[in-house]
Amino acid sequence: MGACQSFREMCDREKNTNVRLSLPAICVVWQTAMIILFGVFIRYDHESDAHWVEHRKHLNLTDIENDFYFRYPSFQDVHVMIFVGFGFLMTFLKRYSFGGVGFNFLIAAFGLQWALLMQGWFHSLDYTDGKIKIGIENLINADFCVAGCLIAYGALLGKVSPVQLMVLTLFGITLFAVEEFIILSVIHARDAGGSMVIHTFGAYYGLSISWMLYRPNLHQSSRLQGSVYHSDVFAMIGTLFLWMFWPSFNSAICDHGDGQHRAAINTYLCLASTVLTAVAISSLFQKHGKLDMVHIQNSTLAGGVAAGTAAEFMLMPYGSLIVGFCCGVISTLGYIFLTPFMEKHLKIQDTCGIHNLHAMPGVIGGIVGAVTAASASVEVYGHEGLVNTFDFEGKFKDMVPTTQGGHQAAGLCVALCFGIGGGIIVGAILRLPIWGDPADDNCFDDETYWEVPEEEEEGIPTVLQYNNHMRNKDIAESNFTMESESRARS
């Protein structure tokens, strides 16, 4: 028994050494490669280049017509969602807050650079000079691309090393760029808010990797696989940022004007409906009618996921409320029943419950998008509105709404295939014993990869020696009592 313990400690030390040696090398090599590739391929587009002044005068435009002024507010909101919303949503574990928000920061900054290149080669390549021209919309799309990998991270939270996360992100963004190109450009599906392209793909990508990396002895870390009061409050900060900015997320790359306007309204209503339903179901299925903070942190966001594909369609306000209602029910019940079932019977350990927040609502969003597209009509949209909303132009000018609905369904199938198939392949790569992943009894613990400050001893609160009003108050009251007693005796 002692020999086995010593061997395990030796393996853990070797894993930590692998991380210590490989993480700095990977970061430096990767950033060097990005500098070279950006130098070769990336250039400003015509709206961010210094020649914009000449271009503006030639076409008789004004600066306010630069896309920056239309897109940058949405970009700010999406950026906050990626770094603050997703980051703090993952701080609910009692001993893994550094890893939750810190590794989220790492893989987002790592991934957005690769995303600009991958998406640029598919969508923004100027064939006249072989350069990728980027502007504000490219930055938004890079954040969208990174979001898929952050969703996948949610299933693996606390169980993988930072090196594994970087490998996951590298392959995830590559797969994302390919499936996005197939769904949006080849199949010609519409998915402004990414229910299919981002959420369905990212969730099933992460769940498939989690299945491949199944840990039968994860119960050895069960003492840390939970929250404390303050960690749940921090996670709720992430929830609120995501909830508030989700209308911007779904409308960020919609057509200017009615498309963006409609997407924001649909998402807004869908989210509001989801909150009430999630609260109702959580209270109904908990003892004594109390609420479970896990449901409030996660299921309240499911409506934003489901509204993504049909966000710019004529979903109608009451339709948005119906979608939000259904997602609140399905997502909350998923946390109560499906997550334990998946871990016990399907061998999928889903730390953040991304199956309930992203996977199922993403599929619902894809289905809603297909049905809404197939039922579109000239009476509801108008001829020009129909062409503009579904891009019935060029080689797709003869497409009709019923056919578009079939294309939407095909897009959902592609997202599922790339997510599950890609996750299995990448999971097989991540199973190799070279990535410095934590031991079964050392998961969900920041001390494996972070310098963690020593905790104060319980029961001995820190007392400031200056401006301590409560202490001064106690002393003053004590002095007053002593003076009163002295006067009474005299």
Side-chain angles (χ1 to χ4, degrees):
M1 188 72 177
C4 291
Q5 180 71 18
S6 300
F7 178 74
R8 188 175 66 182
E9 290 175 355
M10 182 182 70
C11 291
D12 290 346
R13 283 195 301 271
E14 184 178 348
K15 286 181 178 180
N16 289 334
T17 301
N18 287 342
V19 173
R20 191 159 49 247
L21 294 177
S22 60
L23 184 58
I26 288 174
C27 289
V28 171
V29 170
W30 179 258
Q31 196 56 60
T32 303
M34 288 297 99
I35 292 171
I36 295 171
L37 288 171
F38 269 57
V40 173
F41 289 105
I42 300 288
R43 297 294 183 270
Y44 300 117
D45 70 4
H46 70 279
E47 292 189 322
S48 54
D49 190 85
H51 290 87
W52 161 253
V53 177
E54 300 168 6
H55 180 77
R56 182 192 67 192
K57 289 180 178 178
H58 177 68
L59 296 179
N60 196 26
L61 302 174
T62 62
D63 277 331
I64 200 64
E65 292 172 276
N66 190 300
D67 202 40
F68 176 87
Y69 295 100
F70 292 99
R71 304 291 186 192
Y72 189 73
S74 296
F75 166 70
Q76 285 181 306
D77 293 350
V78 172
H79 219 45
V80 169
M81 289 178 69
I82 296 301
F83 288 92
V84 179
F86 278 107
F88 276 89
L89 185 63
M90 297 185 190
T91 60
F92 65 93
L93 292 172
K94 64 178 73 174
R95 292 285 299 171
Y96 204 72
S97 293
F98 284 12
V101 73
F103 290 151
N104 182 93
F105 195 8
L106 170 67
I107 63 180
F110 169 85
L112 64 85
Q113 299 176 65
W114 183 233
L116 285 170
L117 283 162
M118 284 299 303
Q119 291 181 309
W121 281 318
F122 281 108
H123 299 288
S124 307
L125 187 63
D126 186 343
Y127 291 99
T128 61
D129 59 6
K131 306 298 182 184
I132 297 169
K133 305 298 174 62
I134 65 169
I136 193 68
E137 189 169 344
N138 299 84
L139 305 188
I140 296 172
N141 281 319
D143 276 357
F144 283 170
C145 193
V146 164
C149 295
L150 297 180
I151 291 166
Y153 175 37
L156 306 166
L157 185 70
K159 301 176 293 186
V160 290
S161 71
V163 176
Q164 284 177 304
L165 288 174
M166 296 177 86
V167 174
L168 173 152
T169 305
L170 176 64
F171 285 102
I173 283 173
T174 305
L175 289 165
F176 181 100
V178 176
E179 62 109 18
E180 178 191 45
F181 177 75
I182 294 172
I183 292 172
L184 301 185
S185 300
V186 178
I187 295 178
H188 190 70
R190 301 289 287 173
D191 194 20
S195 296
M196 302 182 293
V197 173
I198 300 171
H199 300 284
T200 301
F201 165 77
Y204 284 104
Y205 179 61
L207 291 168
S208 299
I209 294 175
S210 182
W211 178 66
M212 291 296 293
L213 301 182
Y214 176 71
R215 292 171 176 263
N217 298 316
L218 190 62
H219 62 273
Q220 295 176 9
S221 294
S222 60
R223 69 194 186 283
L224 299 174
Q225 195 176 0
S227 63
V228 290
Y229 193 84
H230 68 267
S231 68
D232 270 334
V233 172
F234 273 108
M236 196 63 197
I237 293 173
T239 297
L240 292 175
F241 270 102
L242 290 169
W243 196 91
M244 289 190 301
F245 291 142
W246 217 297
S248 294
F249 189 93
N250 284 353
S251 65
I253 60 171
C254 292
D255 293 332
H256 295 164
D258 67 295
Q260 282 191 317
H261 202 161
R262 193 162 52 247
I265 293 172
N266 288 339
T267 307
Y268 177 90
L269 294 173
C270 209
L271 285 164
S273 178
T274 304
V275 173
L276 270 70
T277 312
V279 168
I281 299 299
S282 179
S283 176
L284 183 65
F285 281 86
Q286 295 300 112
K287 292 182 179 179
H288 310 297
K290 294 184 178 181
L291 299 172
D292 190 327
M293 188 52 110
V294 172
H295 306 153
I296 307 306
Q297 287 167 353
N298 296 280
S299 296
T300 52
L301 301 171
V305 175
T309 297
E312 61 181 332
F313 299 168
M314 292 288 285
L315 186 58
M316 305 307 292
Y318 68 86
S320 301
L321 293 177
I322 293 171
V323 173
F325 180 93
C326 295
C327 284
V329 173
I330 292 170
S331 179
T332 309
L333 293 178
Y335 279 99
I336 297 170
F337 299 109
L338 272 183
T339 298
F341 175 86
M342 289 170 61
E343 181 166 355
K344 182 177 181 181
H345 298 287
L346 302 181
K347 310 302 181 186
I348 298 175
Q349 295 160 328
D350 183 6
T351 307
C352 289
I354 65 168
H355 184 258
N356 313 306
L357 172 53
H358 297 281
M360 290 193 297
V363 172
I364 292 171
I367 295 171
V368 169
V371 172
T372 309
S375 60
S377 65
V378 175
E379 289 75 18
V380 175
Y381 286 80
H383 176 72
E384 292 297 326
L386 203 63
V387 170
N388 185 60
T389 301
F390 296 103
D391 280 344
F392 289 160
E393 297 173 337
K395 64 180 181 180
F396 300 103
K397 63 183 176 61
D398 296 325
M399 186 177 288
V400 295
T402 51
T403 306
Q404 180 65 37
H407 284 226
Q408 296 291 142
L412 178 60
C413 294
V414 170
L416 286 167
C417 291
F418 268 80
I420 296 171
I424 291 173
I425 294 171
V426 175
I429 295 171
L430 294 179
R431 289 181 66 174
L432 298 174
I434 60 174
W435 307 115
D437 54 311
D440 288 333
D441 61 348
N442 215 20
C443 293
F444 315 114
D445 193 346
D446 276 329
E447 288 191 3
T448 307
Y449 303 110
W450 295 84
E451 291 289 344
V452 179
E454 293 184 7
E455 292 186 357
E456 300 167 6
E457 295 183 16
E458 294 184 6
I460 308 178
T462 301
V463 179
L464 297 177
Q465 297 301 319
Y466 58 91
N467 200 27
N468 192 333
H469 302 296
M470 291 304 296
R471 186 177 179 184
N472 294 338
K473 180 182 176 183
D474 292 341
I475 293 172
E477 289 178 350
S478 177
N479 290 340
F480 177 78
T481 303
M482 291 174 63
E483 290 175 5
S484 299
E485 291 176 351
S486 177
R487 290 196 193 97
R489 285 197 296 270
S490 61

